[in-house]
Amino acid sequence: RVVDGHRLEAMARSPFIGRDAQLAELDAALQDAQTGRPRLVVVGGPPGIGKSWLLAHVAERLADRGILALRTACAQMGADVVPLVPVTAAIRQLVGLMGADALTVAVPAALPLVADLPENRPVETAALPAGTVAELFAAVLHRLGVQQPLVWLVDDMQWADPSTSALIGFLGRTLTATQVLLVAATRDEAPGSAAAAALVAGVDDGALVQEVSGLHSGVNPVSGDLSSGAEGLRIRGGEVAEPLREFTIASTLQRLLHDVMAVGSDLTW
């Protein structure tokens, strides 16, 4: 999980031991961001080693320096998957820091996000689609980052829903000319930690592939081009729907592997 060539290993739990190197790396990434070159840094390590402490300490240091820092975390909620929990938390923090009126005047893209907060949205009104929320939030980060340095800290990425994982990767690839630093902390775990039901619940519109045919002849061994028949079930709004028969998976092996976002716990070889 190296992003932008940057992966930090959280070390000793003591606040003052083994931290100087990590803090220096984050300071350097922030300095890059302040020149208009956004950065994404991933902090990794086993459970209990102090990743959350590191992010909390960074947030406090940034606040002392007058830098806008949004400290959020993904959440494990049993079988239920609530998309973009860190985004909701970040919008609430921005409202608390700036006020709803000032925020939406400074960044008009924030208006629908503020209105979509559960405490502001009428019960009978449907929430915004996850894709719309992600697109608007990316615009909010970019606009605020043009005005001032901004650091978005996201803890517990091992529990991220697919929409949050996709958003972090999207921001890391596409943010430009803005003073934004993204810091994501994740627990080192073996592949296959995500429940299959949770993966399905995080998909708005997609397919659950149950059978692939023709792999022996559908892959070009030189270019990696892939075109194979498949069958499965349609996914609509996070639920399995009607059967899908005789559709085609067309891509390259490289792209197929590059675009893997999560691995289900039912993985077998």
Side-chain angles (χ1 to χ4, degrees):
R1 288 183 297 278
V2 179
V3 183
D4 190 24
H6 233 74
R7 175 180 170 83
L8 304 184
E9 296 292 340
M11 300 185 70
R13 195 173 182 82
S14 168
F16 301 106
I17 299 177
R19 301 291 184 175
D20 289 346
Q22 286 71 38
L23 293 173
E25 291 273 8
L26 289 169
D27 281 341
L30 177 58
Q31 290 174 15
D32 277 350
Q34 288 177 298
T35 65
R37 294 182 295 173
R39 297 293 302 274
L40 170 56
V41 177
V42 177
V43 180
I49 205 167
K51 300 179 296 297
S52 296
W53 179 92
L54 182 62
L55 265 61
H57 182 65
V58 167
E60 291 175 3
R61 290 181 66 193
L62 293 171
D64 290 342
R65 294 164 59 184
I67 293 175
L68 179 58
L70 306 173
R71 186 180 174 218
T72 64
C74 301
Q76 189 176 34
M77 300 182 181
D80 295 329
V81 176
V82 180
L84 300 169
V85 169
V87 171
T88 300
I91 293 297
R92 285 197 181 107
Q93 289 180 41
L94 287 171
V95 169
L97 291 167
M98 301 176 61
D101 291 341
L103 172 61
T104 55
V105 169
V107 189
L111 181 59
L113 295 178
V114 173
D116 195 55
L117 289 173
E119 59 268 29
N120 297 337
R121 186 177 66 246
V123 175
E124 65 276 9
T125 302
L128 291 174
T132 301
V133 172
E135 184 177 356
L136 289 170
F137 186 67
V140 169
L141 288 184
H142 183 275
R143 181 61 181 168
L144 287 174
V146 169
Q147 300 169 2
Q148 62 184 313
L150 184 153
V151 180
W152 185 28
L153 303 146
V154 186
D155 202 358
D156 292 325
M157 278 294 295
Q158 73 275 2
W159 292 330
D161 64 282
S163 295
T164 298
S165 297
L167 173 61
I168 295 292
F170 172 78
L171 292 172
R173 294 190 302 271
T174 62
L175 277 178
T176 58
T178 187
Q179 303 175 77
V180 175
L181 170 62
L182 309 175
V183 182
T186 185
R187 177 188 301 175
D188 287 341
E189 292 182 333
S193 59
L199 294 179
V200 170
V203 178
D204 289 330
D205 185 10
L208 175 62
V209 178
Q210 296 180 312
E211 183 176 341
V212 178
S213 60
L215 279 178
H216 63 286
S217 59
V219 180
N220 186 311
V222 177
S223 66
D225 289 344
L226 165 69
S227 181
S228 297
E231 296 184 1
L233 299 170
R234 184 70 179 269
I235 301 175
R236 297 181 186 274
E239 297 183 352
V240 173
E242 73 274 11
L244 292 174
R245 303 190 185 281
E246 298 182 359
F247 62 94
T248 300
I249 299 174
S251 183
T252 67
L253 283 177
Q254 299 94 320
R255 174 58 60 182
L256 199 65
L257 294 173
H258 180 270
D259 288 346
V260 171
M261 294 167 49
V263 179
S265 56
D266 57 349
L267 175 68
T268 58
W269 294 97

